[in-house]
Amino acid sequence: MMIQKTAAITENRPVSGACWKMTLAVGTDMAAAARPGQFVMVRVPDGGLKPFLSRPFSIHRINKERGLLELLYRVVGHGTRQMASRCAGQTMELVGPLGNGFRIEQPFKNIAFVAGGMGVAPLVFLAETLVAEHGGALRARAFIGGACGEDLLCCDVFAGLNMDVAVATEDGCAGCRGFVTQPFENAIKTDSPEMVMACGPPAMLAAVAKISAAADIPCQVSIESLMACGIGACLGCAVKSSGNANYYKHVCKDGPVFAASEIDLDGLAASHGAGQRAFSVRKS
């Protein structure tokens, strides 16, 4: 169910470095309709012609009882600077929830979450949903990585859900030095999960998918893409499917969550380049 809203901001604050969290009163209808891994198209109502189009953001958290929706975003351009300038009581325009989220119909008992930078955004909603549904029957671990300490987000949230949390930073200031794929790969050698859920930059997703496939573990990935509409009209979010270079899927309608085997992640990583920011869906 897609809903269009003008939603009041209840909170908008910095959380780490250039990362901010915005909470919106979207109503119980939109909050109840949202599923982990879905996204919303967001626009500043009086932002003028720049940016003119809405931009997609992963749903970070939901409070169904109070009708609240949280976004986790990084200030990187004009649009997100506008968002960061908004105060409680002002409004944002939203359309959503959109896309296909994580496939969680099966009652998993052992899950690994792997996040790179802002890729943590949709995994918090997923983790909180699974814990609420399965409680003590769920055993989950979180692997969170970033370039530096400021990039390590929501570690306390996962720890508060009684999950083991392993961190990695490229500069070595926290956790192990290097990429988050290193502690992930080491951990699953002795304790193999039933499912891997990952979100982060394409190069990280490609590596996580290869590690998971080598260990014969199913893997779901949430990927980002440029998009203007969020509903499949603009065709700007096409990604190559695996095994057929002439067949494309669309992030907004077919995703943003895919089985890792569905997408040419190596090609996606190559097209984004080594410096691609670890945003989930899109954060600018």
Side-chain angles (χ1 to χ4, degrees):
M1 178 173 64
M2 182 177 69
I3 304 167
Q4 185 169 353
K5 290 275 185 178
T6 298
I9 299 169
T10 64
E11 183 181 49
N12 190 30
R13 60 181 178 85
V15 293
S16 178
C19 300
W20 286 62
K21 181 184 291 185
M22 178 182 285
T23 305
L24 296 153
V26 298
T28 54
D29 54 349
M30 182 179 281
R35 298 292 180 266
Q38 290 186 301
F39 65 97
V40 289
M41 298 295 290
V42 179
R43 184 174 180 270
V44 179
D46 52 355
L49 296 179
K50 187 178 180 182
F52 176 73
L53 298 171
S54 300
R55 291 292 181 262
F57 291 82
S58 295
I59 299 173
H60 176 52
R61 282 176 122 167
I62 285 288
N63 185 316
K64 293 184 179 181
E65 291 72 25
R66 298 177 61 194
L68 300 177
L69 180 150
E70 288 186 12
L71 304 175
L72 185 68
Y73 65 100
R74 177 175 287 159
V75 178
V76 294
H78 183 80
T80 44
R81 283 196 297 271
Q82 282 189 330
M83 288 178 63
S85 71
R86 307 293 281 183
C87 302
Q90 294 182 295
T91 61
M92 298 289 289
E93 293 179 356
L94 281 81
V95 176
L98 299 168
N100 292 301
F102 291 96
R103 283 70 166 174
I104 55 175
E105 294 81 9
Q106 179 180 340
F108 300 111
K109 295 183 179 180
N110 190 340
I111 295 179
F113 301 100
V114 188
M118 290 296 294
V120 77
L123 296 182
V124 167
F125 183 17
L126 173 63
E128 291 182 334
T129 298
L130 290 173
V131 168
E133 291 179 353
H134 305 297
L138 177 70
R139 181 171 179 271
R141 292 161 287 167
F143 302 87
I144 301 174
C148 61
E150 285 187 350
D151 292 339
L152 298 176
L153 303 168
C154 304
C155 297
D156 57 334
V157 176
F158 288 100
L161 295 171
N162 295 318
M163 296 183 187
D164 292 332
V165 180
V167 302
T169 49
E170 293 174 39
D171 65 4
C173 70
C176 69
R177 179 187 292 273
F179 299 122
V180 70
T181 48
Q182 295 169 345
F184 165 67
E185 184 172 21
N186 291 336
I188 67 171
K189 288 178 180 177
T190 56
D191 187 358
S192 178
E194 298 170 88
M195 176 63 71
V196 175
M197 312 283 205
C199 185
M204 186 209 85
L205 295 181
V208 169
K210 288 179 181 177
I211 294 167
S212 301
D216 198 26
I217 304 169
C219 177
Q220 297 180 34
V221 297
S222 176
I223 67 174
E224 69 151 0
S225 176
L226 295 170
M227 63 178 76
C229 68
I231 56 173
C234 71
L235 305 181
C237 62
V239 292
K240 287 184 179 181
S241 64
S242 61
N244 186 346
N246 297 317
Y247 183 72
Y248 288 78
K249 292 179 179 286
H250 294 91
V251 174
C252 65
K253 292 184 68 176
D254 301 314
V257 178
F258 298 91
S261 57
E262 291 182 78
I263 301 298
D264 178 8
L265 291 171
D266 286 331
L268 185 65
S271 66
H272 280 63
Q276 174 66 23
R277 292 185 299 267
F279 298 160
S280 156
V281 184
R282 182 167 171 80
K283 300 295 181 285
S284 59

